[in-house]
Amino acid sequence: PRLLSQFFFADERVTQVVAEINGLDAELDPQQYLVLLNQLHLSQAHLLAILERIMEECIPTQRHSRDYLVKFPEELLVDNLGNHMLFAAECLLAGTFLEVEEADGAQLRPQARNLLCSLELVRTVLREQSLSQPGSYPEPVRAVLVQFDRLFAEFELSYVSSLVAVKSPEEIYRQQEIIVLFCETVERALRLGYLTQEMIDGYEPLLMFTIPRLAIISGLLIYPEGPLSLEQSPEQMSRVFSPFYNLLKKIRDLLRVLSAEELCLLERSLCTAE
């Protein structure tokens, strides 16, 4: 049950698969090479998962900040992101630029080298510790874990930043404003009887259409200084709404001529129309 013991056997498995790959002629047996490569990725992912648990147990208050993850596109925030970063570092060190431009790859190579060297040091130190005192984490062990955690985070941020346009602090703030707008829209719709708490608790599918529609009206009329404010330029708006800047202006102009009764009738119809 000890994490260091689990790490030892997971590390043994990685070493075994690497040895099998090194002893195989990929050109003579490409199918077996792909099988072993998949086994390597799985065994590395298992090793990293145990290492993550060890760091949470050993250096919980010394972990490098991962606040930058909120800047990443949601499609990148997957369970195997760490393993993908490790594979990317190995490719960069080998001179293979699978996802990044060659110039970016050249700049990332020193970080990749430092990360992989740090991982090898962590593997060595933890193996030795698992064979001597598997139930404790002396200061030298903590130090190499802190260093690896920092190098991994720095490489992850740099690598992803070279792949995609990470969100700026301004864009993150705009998205938070949209979240607030949607929350206030739901609260107002409940108060006016457009929606019921039962619909929300039951994840009524119609809400996927109803709430955004009501939020547009709320953002244009009820909270005109919020994220849908048309007093700002399209560049200042969230990328969710900026492509529809001119359309939103037309909608706002139409809404302004409605009476209170007509607006209420429109909002109720938006809660039922598909």
Side-chain angles (χ1 to χ4, degrees):
R2 292 175 177 174
L3 287 177
L4 282 176
S5 299
Q6 295 179 32
F7 184 89
F8 177 86
F9 289 108
D11 187 75
E12 283 278 283
R13 178 57 182 161
V14 171
T15 302
Q16 176 187 354
V17 176
V18 170
E20 292 181 25
I21 290 177
N22 292 337
L24 181 71
D25 190 329
E27 294 182 357
L28 294 179
D29 197 347
Q31 185 174 359
Q32 179 62 16
Y33 176 76
L34 292 177
V35 170
L36 290 174
L37 195 60
N38 183 60
Q39 290 180 5
L40 177 61
H41 290 162
L42 292 176
S43 60
Q44 285 180 330
H46 181 54
L47 184 72
L48 287 179
I50 297 176
L51 180 56
E52 177 69 22
R53 292 169 59 194
I54 289 175
M55 289 190 291
E56 281 298 310
E57 181 178 271
C58 179
I59 54 169
T61 61
Q62 298 172 277
R63 299 295 303 273
H64 194 83
S65 172
R66 296 302 198 278
D67 290 347
Y68 60 82
L69 290 175
V70 301
K71 299 181 179 183
F72 290 1
E74 292 184 2
E75 59 270 18
L76 291 182
L77 300 178
V78 293
D79 291 337
N80 63 345
L81 179 60
N83 199 40
H84 184 79
M85 290 299 103
L86 182 58
F87 178 69
E90 292 169 341
C91 289
L92 288 171
L93 198 59
T96 304
F97 309 108
L98 295 179
E99 301 175 311
V100 298
E101 297 294 333
E102 186 172 348
D104 292 331
Q107 291 184 342
L108 288 167
R109 283 189 73 183
Q111 281 186 287
R113 181 182 297 107
N114 291 338
L115 172 61
L116 294 176
C117 288
S118 179
L119 177 59
E120 286 303 310
L121 179 58
V122 165
R123 291 176 64 184
T124 299
V125 169
L126 290 185
R127 281 174 63 90
E128 293 176 352
Q129 188 65 25
S130 67
L131 293 172
S132 58
Q133 292 178 304
S136 63
Y137 300 101
E139 184 54 37
V141 173
R142 295 173 182 270
V144 296
L145 288 174
V146 169
Q147 181 188 47
F148 170 75
D149 189 47
R150 175 180 60 81
L151 292 173
F152 197 104
E154 291 174 351
F155 176 77
E156 184 174 55
L157 176 58
S158 299
Y159 187 81
V160 174
S161 297
S162 69
L163 287 180
V164 297
V166 298
K167 300 172 188 174
S168 65
E170 292 76 19
E171 179 64 19
I172 294 172
Y173 179 74
R174 295 186 192 113
Q175 289 188 346
Q176 292 173 338
E177 282 191 315
I178 294 173
I179 294 172
V180 172
L181 172 63
F182 272 54
C183 292
E184 292 176 338
T185 296
V186 170
E187 182 181 353
R188 176 174 175 269
L190 287 171
R191 186 173 65 252
L192 296 177
Y194 298 154
L195 306 175
T196 66
Q197 191 62 48
E198 289 73 20
M199 295 172 65
I200 296 174
D201 294 340
Y203 300 102
E204 173 63 44
L206 185 60
L207 296 179
M208 295 177 60
F209 302 96
T210 298
I211 294 176
R213 291 168 176 171
L214 294 178
I216 289 175
I217 294 179
S218 295
L220 293 174
L221 290 185
I222 313 301
Y223 311 107
E225 297 181 358
L228 281 181
S229 172
L230 298 178
E231 300 305 318
Q232 58 188 337
S233 66
E235 293 75 19
Q236 294 174 307
M237 296 180 72
S238 169
R239 287 178 287 183
V240 175
F241 295 114
S242 58
F244 310 104
Y245 186 81
N246 293 329
L247 178 60
L248 290 171
K249 272 192 170 182
K250 294 178 181 179
I251 295 174
R252 182 194 61 181
D253 294 340
L254 290 172
L255 293 174
R256 282 177 171 175
V257 302
L258 298 179
S259 65
E261 293 77 12
E262 289 171 331
L263 179 61
C264 178
L265 181 61
L266 171 62
E267 289 185 305
R268 287 190 179 279
S269 67
L270 291 178
C271 295
T272 58
E274 297 183 2

